[in-house]
């Protein structure tokens, strides 16, 4: 049974035929590389995890059998390894960061140097092996494995990514490293290698965030790494008073206009047509250069959305070059719930996002990073992001200099044989791990005043419904479109009021009945004193003790054999029957 569970959990990842474990040899000393690198999913010593993941003792037994004492583990799990160091003979290096994200780039030089020192030690008699693992042995492990092949073995980006996919994934199951921001980091490693392996860590101020095609109810947040990269911190969430809704000429003013010409020559990924704030597109200039403002035409774009500049009212300064812009779209649901319909984010590193770094080896002091919606990271490392929340994003940033108290740290790769520091490990049991760092997902969420106000603040096209008698004075979801559980918009009654579902705390009048938890009542339900509520659109009203068999398209209770049959949503609207619309 345990073997079957492990095969199911491993899913698209290749399993080692001899060991029967979820691991692969990315390289071996007999192949193209001079060193052996193994990628494996995170082993576990505790139940229930060891029932469906690699048992730690089984992994150690295999490594001891194949490589004796010539193996060591590099782990990257901010959520905890799942086993104590002692169970792997203490041969382990810790460089943790959160799942589904790229590493803080400042960790890269030490990770690369420590792996190189182990694999290429001058006193070694036998070939050594590096074992890299995260949770699934795919995203974080693949990022490090490819980075090592590029920086220490001379592989190209394409060769490294292809090799990792061929060895780690079953045929036809996608790329080994598939998260766009992690692929971007591998490209950064290639550039870092070609530029002499020098990295300058600085404090970065985010000046403006430009969004084209912003839909309603979207939260926009600025995040970055803290605690040596183990934690992602939200540094700022934009409010309504920090947004500027702009017209087609607004791009000629502001900080963005002064920086875009010189710093946005190398977008990641490059756009086909730069975005225009008025929704139009420009043809390619006659001089052969791309206009950085043209909008990529997508046939399926939700037209009519707005273009917005977000300017923080207080300075937003991140401690490192690593910046994450996070988006979450929420729509009004019912019973104090909201529906999350979009989740996306994108990481970039300000040190590498400037053409001046490559053209004249000058460390950039400011710049613009731009990206389209389709190229952003999705939910928990997938490409799934939900409903489109925007079309394009541009982030304007600058580095703080010493006159402003800005801190600069020049980081170089430790030389061969030099001791290399490692990070403080996370608790191996995961006792202090924050589950929110595992990533967001779509679906229902509890509504809070904070989430409602944030969604309201970032709505561009606000629908201000007329106040329903008896409703709270300050409706927290004002300006946010009302949607049902599947994302459908609530239908308006002919009186112009939105149809809302009665909360459980509201008394049910005697001339009402309840079907599947939804109140069905008289035509005068809207006028119940103090209720401020309406009957559900599309459900018949005005009958006491309504039977489902009497509803248009409904079936009698005796004919319903399963719970699915009793779902009110199965009722079909009949145009010839009196219903609310």
């Amino acid at each position: 049974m345990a073997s079957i569970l492990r095969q199911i959990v491993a899913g698209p990842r290749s399993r080692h035929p001899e060991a029967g474990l979820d691991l692969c040899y990315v390289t071996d000393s007999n192949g193209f590389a001079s060193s052996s690198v193994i990628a494996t999913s995170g082993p576990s010593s505790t139940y229930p995890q060891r029932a469906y993941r690699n048992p730690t003792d089984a992994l150690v037994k295999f490594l001891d059998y194949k490589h004796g004492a010539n193996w060591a583990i590099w782990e990257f799990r901010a959520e905890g390894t799942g086993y104590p160091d002692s169970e792997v003979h203490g041969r382990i290096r810790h460089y943790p960061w959160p799942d589904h994200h790229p590493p803080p780039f400042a960790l890269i030089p030490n990770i690369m140097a420590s792996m190189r020192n182990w694999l290429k030690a001058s006193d070694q008699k036998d070939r050594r092996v590096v074992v890299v693992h995260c949770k699934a042995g795919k995203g974080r492990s693949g990022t490090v494995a490819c980075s090592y092949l590029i920086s220490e073995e001379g592989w190209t980006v394409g060769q490294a990514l292809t090799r990792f996919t061929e060895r780690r994934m079953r045929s036809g199951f996608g790329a080994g490293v598939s998260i766009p921001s992690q692929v971007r980091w591998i490209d950064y490693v290639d550039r870092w290698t070609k530029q002499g392996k020098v990295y300058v860590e600085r404090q970065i101020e985010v000046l403006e965030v430009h969004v084209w095609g912003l839909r309603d109810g979207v939260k926009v947040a600025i995040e970055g790494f803290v605690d040596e990269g183990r934690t992602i911190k939200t540094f700022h969430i934009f409010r309504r008073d920090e947004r500027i809704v702009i017209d087609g000429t607004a791009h000629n003013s502001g900080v963005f206009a002064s920086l875009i010409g010189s710093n946005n020559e190398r977008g990641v990924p490059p756009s086909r047509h730069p975005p225009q704030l008025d929704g139009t597109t420009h043809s390619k200039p006659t001089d052969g250069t791309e206009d950085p403002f043209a909008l990529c035409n997508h046939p399926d774009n939700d037209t009519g959305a707005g273009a917005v500049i977000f300017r923080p009212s207080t300075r937003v300064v991140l401690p490192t070059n690593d910046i994450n812009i996070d988006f979450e779209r929420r729509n009004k649901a019912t019973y104090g719930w909201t529906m999350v319909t979009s989740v996306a984010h994108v990481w970039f590193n300000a040190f590498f996002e400037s053409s001046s770094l490559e053209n004249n080896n000058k460390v950039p002091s400011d710049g613009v990073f731009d990206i389209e919606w389709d190229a952003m990271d999705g939910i928990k490392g997938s490409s799934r992001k939900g409903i489109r929340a925007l079309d394009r994003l541009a982030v304007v940033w600058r580095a703080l200099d010493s006159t402003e108290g800005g801190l600069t740290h020049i980081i170089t790769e430790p030389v061969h044989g030099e001791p290399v520091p490692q990070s403080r490990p996370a608790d191996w049991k995961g006792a202090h791990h924050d589950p929110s760092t595992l990533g967001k997902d779509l679906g229902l969420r509890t509504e809070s005043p904070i989430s409602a106000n944030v969604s309201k603040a970032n709505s561009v096209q606000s629908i201000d419904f007329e106040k329903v008698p008896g409703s709270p004075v300050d409706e927290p979801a004002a300006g946010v479109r009302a949607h049902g559980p599947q994302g459908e918009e609530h239908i308006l009654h002919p009186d112009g009021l939105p149809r809302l579902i009665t909360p459980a705390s509201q008394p049910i009048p005697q001339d009402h009945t309840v079907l599947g938890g939804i109140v069905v009542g008289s035509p005068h339900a809207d006028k119940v004193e103090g209720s401020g509520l309406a009957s559900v659109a599309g459900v018949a009203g005005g009958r006491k003790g309504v039977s489902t068999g009497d509803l248009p398209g409904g079936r009698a209770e005796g004919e319903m054999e399963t719970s699915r049959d009793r779902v009110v949503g199965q009722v079909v609207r009949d145009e010839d029957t009196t219903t609310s619309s």
Side-chain angles (χ1 to χ4, degrees):
M1 177 60 71
S3 178
I4 295 175
L5 287 174
R6 292 179 193 126
Q7 292 180 26
I8 294 173
V9 171
R13 301 185 300 274
S14 296
R15 294 174 60 83
H16 193 273
E18 179 182 352
L21 299 172
D22 180 16
L23 66 83
C24 74
Y25 282 78
V26 180
T27 62
D28 54 66
S29 57
N30 296 324
F32 186 29
S34 61
S35 306
S36 295
V37 177
I38 295 175
T40 179
S41 60
S44 181
S45 297
T46 59
Y47 284 100
Q49 289 80 6
R50 67 174 285 129
Y52 55 84
R53 296 198 178 278
N54 290 337
T56 307
D57 53 355
L59 177 64
V60 171
K61 182 178 180 181
F62 170 76
L63 294 173
D64 285 343
Y65 172 73
K66 295 290 290 186
H67 304 286
N70 296 305
W71 59 269
I73 290 176
W74 271 250
E75 69 87 14
F76 316 112
R77 301 190 65 181
E79 64 272 24
T81 60
Y83 58 89
D85 292 1
S86 59
E87 292 195 6
V88 293
H89 309 315
R91 292 198 294 270
I92 186 169
R93 311 290 188 273
H94 300 279
Y95 297 97
W97 76 85
D99 199 5
H100 312 305
H101 299 279
F105 199 88
L107 292 181
I108 292 293
N110 285 343
I111 296 175
M112 298 298 101
S114 60
M115 291 173 65
R116 178 207 61 207
N117 285 356
W118 170 259
L119 289 171
K120 300 181 179 181
S122 58
D123 59 347
Q124 72 177 75
K125 297 180 180 179
D126 299 311
R127 293 285 185 180
R128 287 183 168 180
V129 176
V130 158
V131 182
V132 295
H133 85 72
C134 47
K135 182 178 181 180
K138 182 177 178 292
R140 288 174 287 183
S141 298
T143 300
V144 171
C146 291
S147 296
Y148 180 81
L149 295 177
I150 292 167
S151 64
E152 307 302 328
E153 299 289 344
W155 292 37
T156 66
V157 172
Q159 288 172 336
L161 289 171
T162 299
R163 168 56 71 90
F164 187 78
T165 297
E166 291 174 346
R167 294 295 181 93
R168 190 70 182 112
M169 305 298 291
R170 293 165 57 190
S171 178
F173 280 85
V177 183
S178 57
I179 298 176
S181 289
Q182 291 179 341
V183 176
R184 185 177 301 109
W185 248 244
I186 293 174
D187 180 66
Y188 290 161
V189 170
D190 182 57
R191 296 169 61 192
W192 169 72
T193 302
K194 294 175 179 177
Q195 293 159 13
K197 298 183 178 180
V198 176
Y199 174 68
V200 182
E201 189 74 279
R202 300 157 308 164
Q203 293 175 288
I204 301 296
E205 179 180 4
V206 176
L207 303 175
E208 295 178 350
V209 175
H210 294 234
V211 184
W212 290 268
L214 182 67
R215 275 60 166 180
D216 267 1
V218 180
K219 180 192 75 172
V220 183
I222 302 173
E223 300 178 340
F225 288 117
V226 294
D227 192 23
E228 296 183 326
R230 281 181 294 273
T231 306
I232 297 173
K233 177 181 177 180
T234 300
F235 286 86
H236 189 76
I237 300 176
F238 287 103
R239 306 186 307 272
R240 176 180 289 274
D241 60 357
E242 296 175 314
R243 72 173 193 179
I244 304 171
V245 181
I246 50 182
D247 59 21
T249 61
H251 64 270
N252 294 323
S253 61
V255 178
F256 189 53
S258 63
L259 293 176
I260 191 70
S262 61
N263 292 295
N264 200 33
E265 297 174 3
R266 189 184 182 278
V268 180
S271 62
R272 289 173 286 177
H273 298 286
Q276 297 297 318
L277 301 182
D278 58 2
T280 63
T281 58
H282 284 211
S283 60
K284 190 173 182 178
T286 54
D287 60 359
T289 60
E290 285 284 333
D291 180 354
F293 275 94
L295 175 63
C296 178
N297 289 322
H298 296 285
D300 57 342
N301 272 0
D302 177 14
T303 59
V308 174
I309 294 178
F310 290 102
R311 286 181 183 157
S313 56
T314 58
R315 296 181 68 182
V316 179
V317 179
L318 281 73
T320 70
N321 291 310
D322 307 304
I323 301 172
N324 184 44
I325 307 298
D326 183 80
F327 297 93
E328 181 180 296
R329 186 183 186 188
R330 295 194 177 201
N331 291 319
K332 178 67 177 178
T334 50
Y335 287 109
W337 294 82
T338 60
M339 175 67 71
V340 178
T341 59
S342 302
V343 172
H345 69 272
V346 58
W347 283 94
F348 69 94
N349 184 286
F351 178 75
F352 295 101
E353 291 301 329
S354 175
S355 59
S356 63
L357 182 64
E358 293 178 337
N359 295 339
N360 53 25
N361 292 323
K362 179 182 178 181
V363 178
S365 60
D366 51 40
V368 177
F369 171 81
D370 72 304
I371 193 171
E372 296 177 4
W373 168 260
D374 293 333
M376 294 183 183
D377 298 2
I379 300 167
K380 296 183 179 180
S382 71
S383 59
R384 187 170 60 98
K385 295 186 279 289
I387 300 171
R388 178 180 290 269
L390 55 101
D391 294 333
R392 190 174 177 83
L393 164 74
V395 184
V396 186
W397 59 269
R398 74 179 187 93
L400 269 62
D401 58 35
S402 57
T403 61
E404 304 172 280
L407 301 177
T408 299
H409 183 204
I410 300 176
I411 301 174
T412 58
E413 183 182 43
V415 299
H416 194 282
E418 179 182 350
V420 180
Q422 59 178 308
S423 301
R424 177 169 52 88
D427 177 61
W428 71 269
K429 296 180 181 179
H432 305 293
H433 177 60
D434 182 2
S436 64
T437 61
L438 293 177
K440 304 173 184 177
D441 207 341
L442 305 179
L444 285 172
R445 297 288 184 275
T446 304
E447 183 180 41
S448 66
I450 295 177
S451 66
N453 289 334
V454 166
S455 296
K456 173 181 175 181
N458 293 288
S459 298
V460 178
Q461 303 168 347
S462 296
I463 300 177
D464 296 323
F465 290 130
E466 180 183 348
K467 290 288 182 183
V468 180
S471 63
V473 176
D474 183 16
E475 169 58 47
V480 181
R481 288 197 183 114
H483 285 64
Q486 301 302 322
E488 70 277 7
E489 294 192 20
H490 283 188
I491 304 173
L492 294 181
H493 191 271
D495 60 11
L497 300 178
R499 286 327 204 178
L500 305 175
I501 295 178
T502 305
S505 60
Q506 178 67 33
I508 301 175
Q510 293 182 355
D511 59 345
H512 287 57
T513 186
V514 178
L515 293 177
I518 300 179
V519 177
V520 180
S522 71
H524 306 291
D526 299 347
K527 299 181 177 59
V528 177
E529 183 178 358
S531 69
L533 301 163
S535 302
V536 177
V539 179
R543 305 226 12 218
K544 183 176 181 179
V546 176
S547 168
T548 55
D550 295 330
L551 293 174
R555 297 167 56 190
E557 287 88 339
E559 299 176 5
M560 299 180 184
E561 299 179 356
T562 66
S563 59
R564 176 174 296 182
D565 294 332
R566 299 176 181 272
V567 177
V568 176
Q570 303 251 340
V571 175
V572 180
R573 179 180 175 184
D574 187 346
E575 297 294 344
D576 297 329
T577 305
T578 302
T579 64
S580 59
S581 59

